[in-house]
Amino acid sequence: MDKKIKVAVMGATGAVGQVFMWMLADHPWFELAYATASASRVGLQYASTVHWVMPFEMPKSVRDVEVKEFNIEAMKEAGVKIVFSALPAEVAREAEPQLRDNGLYVFSNAASMRYDNNVPILIPETNVEQLDLIKDQGYPESGFVVTNANCVTTGLAMALAPLRKYGIKNIVLHSYQSVSGAGYPGLSSFDITDNCIPFIKGEEEKIEKEIKKILSIAPEVYCYTVRVPVMFGHLEAVWLDLEQDVEVEDIINDWNTFKEVSDLPSTPELPVEYGADNTFPQPKYAFWGKPSGMVVYTGRLKKKNGKIGFLLLVNNIVKGAAGGSIQNAEAVVKRFGLI
Ligand SMILES: NC(=O)c1ccc[n+]([C@@H]2O[C@H](COP(=O)([O-])OP(=O)(O)OC[C@H]3O[C@@H](n4cnc5c(N)ncnc54)[C@H](OP(=O)(O)O)[C@@H]3O)[C@@H](O)[C@H]2O)c1
């Protein structure tokens, strides 16, 4: 690509927004041209106002970025074509349709438009064909919104995509979700220190709905989602009832040979990696892999009474959020080109 595509990040100071700023700092196709946060930060220099929570240094190139107001005309004047949204759902509900109606290409982490019939919940490794839905939103004459899934669902969909061929009848899932999943500042330390919270509002319903839409399957889904005192990475314990009788060796082989075919910059060579060690995976590996945080790790695979059980780890703010959105934008650029 001769010239990079100009992009905006909305909600650049939040947990997901910070990952966008980090991953876009040296992206081969995209160049940050506009960043927003809430009104009180407008006009401030990014480094002076953000509370940086990433487990590594802020990239130098984003330190001096000025936080701007939400202004579609100003975005367009800055040359922006793609908008990455890390806004709370209630703010996104207003902003994202306006951006689309103004011809911009929106890649959102918010849940507000995920269940619209003409809006894909995209994970390039699992359902890139659903990108055609953007034509139902009026593309190429108008803009569009592409969402990514709830972070737990992203990890689940990645592990299940290569197993779809066996027929997925039932899914039982128990999650152990990190505090970064609640954004910044998120939960009170009084509530989460030395504790686990056995309820995350709306989460179980999202997983049930989204896994069906993403993989075009109709299993029964039984979930408990629990917040645990861990900073990054969601661990998920999964049990499956499959139509076919399958051996664990087949499943390991399916994961080891699972690939995303279009060779996107943010897709790892092995998007799902299985580890045979009994202590694998753990949230402390959330930023492993290349690109960092984009690999879903599986482990503890077993078969009992015909059921298949395993654990998985997904980096909720990278593959499960900003990294997934960037990968989705890469998939659109690759598939349609930018007009
Ligand atoms: N965290 C995760 O693991 C995760 C995973 C998948 C999806 N998501 C979704 O991604 C979105 C962002 O999540 P997050 O965890 O990054 O949340 P967050 O840490 O609370 O960040 C929210 C961002 O939106 C900005 N914002 C809030 N109200 C605004 C307003 N009225 N106008 C303009 N900007 C406003 C905030 O700016 P200020 O800093 O100035 O307040 C901040 O930059 C949410 O929809 C969430 O459900 C999150």
Side-chain angles (χ1 to χ4, degrees):
M1 196 163 292
D2 304 339
K3 214 170 154 198
K4 290 193 182 183
I5 298 164
K6 294 213 162 87
V7 304
V9 175
M10 306 218 352
T13 47
V16 176
Q18 293 183 31
V19 178
F20 275 124
M21 299 299 270
W22 162 60
M23 291 187 80
L24 290 168
D26 60 355
H27 194 279
W29 297 358
F30 303 141
E31 177 186 344
L32 183 78
Y34 205 97
T36 77
S38 60
S40 62
R41 298 189 201 272
V42 171
L44 298 177
Q45 179 217 31
Y46 187 74
S48 74
T49 185
V50 70
H51 183 96
W52 187 253
V53 293
M54 295 297 110
F56 37 74
E57 214 183 337
M58 184 187 309
K60 286 201 174 47
S61 61
V62 306
R63 298 187 69 84
D64 293 333
V65 167
E66 184 189 328
V67 177
K68 304 234 172 68
E69 62 175 352
F70 174 57
N71 179 327
I72 296 176
E73 280 315 309
M75 279 185 193
K76 286 171 129 180
E77 275 165 29
V80 168
K81 285 303 290 178
I82 288 176
V83 179
F84 292 111
S85 167
L87 294 170
E90 62 281 9
V91 186
R93 188 170 284 119
E94 296 279 313
E96 291 174 0
Q98 288 179 42
L99 290 159
R100 171 175 67 185
D101 295 346
N102 277 275
L104 292 163
Y105 306 150
V106 182
F107 293 88
S108 176
N109 286 275
S112 43
M113 296 181 73
R114 276 184 205 150
Y115 313 120
D116 293 5
N117 286 337
N118 59 3
V119 174
I121 305 177
L122 189 68
I123 303 176
E125 292 93 336
T126 73
N127 65 347
V128 78
E129 71 290 345
Q130 289 185 23
L131 253 187
D132 283 337
L133 284 177
I134 65 175
K135 294 180 189 159
D136 296 347
Q137 297 180 51
Y139 178 81
E141 282 75 31
S142 80
F144 58 78
V145 177
V146 168
T147 62
N148 46 354
N150 156 278
C151 38
V152 177
T153 316
T154 298
L156 181 67
M158 290 290 291
L160 295 193
L163 314 184
R164 249 184 304 198
K165 61 190 176 192
Y166 302 125
I168 298 169
K169 283 197 294 189
N170 294 315
I171 303 170
V172 177
L173 180 146
H174 298 157
S175 73
Y176 308 79
Q177 299 185 214
S178 63
V179 294
S180 59
Y184 184 82
L187 291 94
S188 155
S189 57
F190 269 93
D191 291 329
I192 194 64
T193 306
D194 277 345
N195 198 18
C196 296
I197 301 173
F199 176 66
I200 303 174
K201 193 165 181 258
E203 197 80 344
E204 290 156 16
E205 293 80 0
K206 285 181 190 167
I207 297 163
E208 291 185 27
K209 231 193 283 188
E210 293 177 22
I211 195 67
K212 294 175 185 173
K213 180 169 175 179
I214 295 165
L215 296 184
S216 305
I217 55 175
E220 292 296 333
V221 183
Y222 306 90
C223 298
Y224 278 115
T225 55
V226 177
R227 189 75 67 195
V228 299
V230 160
M231 193 70 95
F232 303 105
H234 294 349
L235 200 61
E236 304 172 29
V238 182
W239 280 101
L240 302 175
D241 283 314
L242 301 172
E243 308 272 357
Q244 291 179 34
D245 188 38
V246 184
E247 299 308 321
V248 292
E249 292 75 18
D250 298 324
I251 291 179
I252 293 170
N253 184 52
D254 290 327
W255 284 331
N256 284 342
T257 53
F258 180 50
K259 288 223 179 307
E260 191 279 317
V261 288
S262 43
D263 194 24
L264 306 172
S266 299
T267 303
E269 202 170 317
L270 267 188
V272 177
E273 282 188 36
Y274 177 73
D277 192 291
N278 274 341
T279 63
F280 191 85
Q282 302 182 24
K284 67 183 182 185
Y285 310 144
F287 281 94
W288 277 19
K290 195 165 183 295
S292 177
M294 290 296 285
V295 178
V296 170
Y297 294 105
T298 56
R300 301 289 325 276
L301 181 63
K302 52 184 165 182
K303 182 175 179 184
K304 185 169 181 187
N305 297 335
K307 292 178 192 290
I308 296 292
F310 61 92
L311 291 183
L312 74 85
L313 172 73
V314 60
N315 184 318
N316 53 293
I317 51 172
V318 183
K319 177 62 180 171
S325 263
I326 292 172
Q327 194 188 15
N328 286 348
E330 294 166 359
V332 169
V333 169
K334 188 101 181 188
R335 187 167 165 132
F336 296 104
L338 271 189
I339 298 166

